[in-house]
Amino acid sequence: QVPSDPLQRRVRELAALSQQLQRVHPNVLAKALRQAVVYQDEEIVAINKPYGLPVHGGPGVKNCVADVLPVLGKLLAKARDEPLRLCHRLDKETTGVMVLARSEEAAEKIRLLFKTRRVEKIYWAIVLGEPDPAEGLVEIPIVEKEVQSHQPHYKMTLAPSYRLADEDGKVVKIRKNRDAQSAVTRYRRLTSSSACSLLELQPITGVKHQIRVHLAYGLGCPILGDHKYSHWSKLAPQKLPEIALKRLKLEQRKARHLPLHLHARRLCLPRGEGGRVELACKPPRFFTNTMLKLKLELPED
């Protein structure tokens, strides 16, 4: 049965698209990514990565960005016919700007820019609740831990350097977890409505799932559709506020089908002598449709 509500139809379409991406021939996927190119020059190619497409292979993954780079390189061939190279990664469910290199030399230069934190990365996310304060910096180390529950699983989580003492509530420095990685995320609330907010995010570091963990566990504002990090001790669908459900015309039992609303909006790369290139992608249709439903006004560029 086809849902009458446009948002629910789009959610179902996204789930179907994610499955189709794993069934299509790699050449078909490469042609689709060619249509998603937003910028290219002699050294790099930037694409708008679609929702549901993994960057790397793994269990159950038949198609990923890495596998179709040789075909995509031929489709976009300029002076030389080489496979494109990965320079960084995005999560399977994250959409937006992704940079590929035309040669290994160019890839190494771009990877070094990311490693030395010289790339400015800007994301947009629709989150539950409102961060307090509305603008700030989350600087809490992150570590991966096993969650002991009826479904044991692994999650990234916070590994703070301080805690409150049980006796007198004074701040006590904690012994650093040797596996924890430093993580810093700058955030700014752009607008709020329907018990949700649109945030602009700038990850200063690049730890796995950093934005999702800092928003959910650091600010108490999990990303809409982030079912993994909306709870700690269990794997369960995200629970949405009543007003958000009403505006989305969604029943709570259907919330499990909501996609992750995290979009890589813009990347600024240093290029040449004092120059830079700015790469930007508009949010996907499901993202902007959700904003309209929740009455979150889209910021002007």
Side-chain angles (χ1 to χ4, degrees):
Q1 185 179 358
V2 178
S4 58
D5 182 71
L7 177 63
Q8 292 190 41
R9 283 203 304 272
R10 187 59 183 151
V11 167
R12 185 172 291 187
E13 288 170 9
L14 280 168
L17 175 62
S18 185
Q19 295 173 355
Q20 288 170 5
L21 288 172
Q22 293 304 308
R23 292 197 296 264
V24 300
H25 191 280
N27 289 357
V28 175
L29 180 56
K31 288 177 181 177
L33 291 182
R34 179 178 63 178
Q35 298 301 315
V37 170
V38 295
Y39 175 86
Q40 57 179 317
D41 59 25
E42 295 302 320
E43 286 193 321
I44 65 171
V45 173
I47 63 170
N48 188 352
K49 190 189 87 64
Y51 181 88
L53 179 64
V55 173
H56 296 283
V61 175
K62 294 181 180 178
N63 275 329
C64 63
V65 175
D67 288 345
V68 300
L69 291 184
V71 181
L72 184 58
K74 288 180 180 179
L75 293 174
L76 298 173
K78 286 200 170 184
R80 45 191 167 183
D81 183 8
E82 288 189 46
L84 297 171
R85 274 80 169 179
L86 293 172
C87 299
H88 62 120
R89 61 165 293 162
L90 292 176
D91 289 346
K92 174 184 173 182
E93 297 86 0
T94 304
T95 58
V97 186
M98 185 171 182
V99 181
L100 309 168
R102 292 187 183 274
S103 67
E104 189 57 38
E105 180 184 4
E108 286 299 326
K109 285 200 300 186
I110 302 299
R111 288 171 195 150
L112 183 61
L113 291 176
F114 275 97
K115 187 176 181 179
T116 54
R117 303 175 186 173
R118 295 176 62 200
V119 178
E120 182 182 300
K121 300 170 283 185
I122 300 295
Y123 287 75
W124 280 359
I126 299 176
V127 304
L128 304 186
E130 295 186 36
D132 184 19
E135 182 174 353
L137 198 74
V138 181
E139 186 175 0
I140 310 175
I142 291 175
V143 69
E144 188 169 30
K145 287 186 178 180
E146 183 178 8
V147 181
Q148 298 294 340
S149 68
H150 66 289
Q151 290 177 284
H153 57 285
Y154 285 88
K155 283 183 182 176
M156 307 301 288
T157 190
L158 302 178
S161 304
Y162 297 86
R163 67 173 176 84
L164 295 179
D166 296 332
E167 316 83 55
D168 51 15
K170 290 184 178 179
V171 176
V172 179
K173 188 169 177 61
I174 300 173
R175 183 177 179 180
K176 186 177 179 182
N177 187 316
R178 67 177 65 184
D179 297 319
Q181 301 178 69
S182 296
V184 184
T185 306
R186 181 176 290 138
Y187 72 91
R188 179 166 68 98
R189 181 175 62 84
L190 300 177
T191 185
S192 294
S193 177
S194 312
C196 295
S197 301
L198 176 68
L199 303 187
E200 181 183 83
L201 304 146
Q202 183 181 2
I204 309 301
T205 53
V207 180
K208 177 183 175 182
H209 295 175
Q210 173 181 319
I211 291 176
R212 297 165 66 180
V213 173
H214 272 174
L215 290 182
Y217 302 151
L219 291 174
C221 295
I223 298 174
L224 182 65
D226 193 350
H227 309 291
K228 180 169 185 173
Y229 289 106
S230 291
H231 313 276
W232 167 250
S233 60
K234 58 184 177 180
L235 292 171
Q238 185 179 62
K239 189 168 179 59
L240 272 61
E242 282 297 325
I243 187 172
L245 288 170
K246 185 177 179 181
R247 291 270 170 85
L248 295 173
K249 296 181 180 177
L250 196 66
E251 298 175 33
Q252 178 58 53
R253 63 189 179 88
K254 299 286 188 181
R256 68 176 69 243
H257 302 300
L258 273 176
L260 182 76
H261 285 67
L262 179 61
H263 177 69
R265 178 75 177 94
R266 191 170 73 246
L267 282 181
C268 293
L269 294 168
R271 300 296 297 278
E273 293 296 325
R276 70 175 193 167
V277 60
E278 185 170 307
L279 310 168
C281 289
K282 292 181 179 179
R285 191 173 63 181
F286 78 85
F287 195 105
T288 53
N289 282 350
T290 297
M291 289 182 59
L292 288 172
K293 292 271 187 179
L294 295 174
K295 300 186 177 182
L296 293 167
E297 294 184 7
L298 189 67
E300 295 181 4
D301 287 336

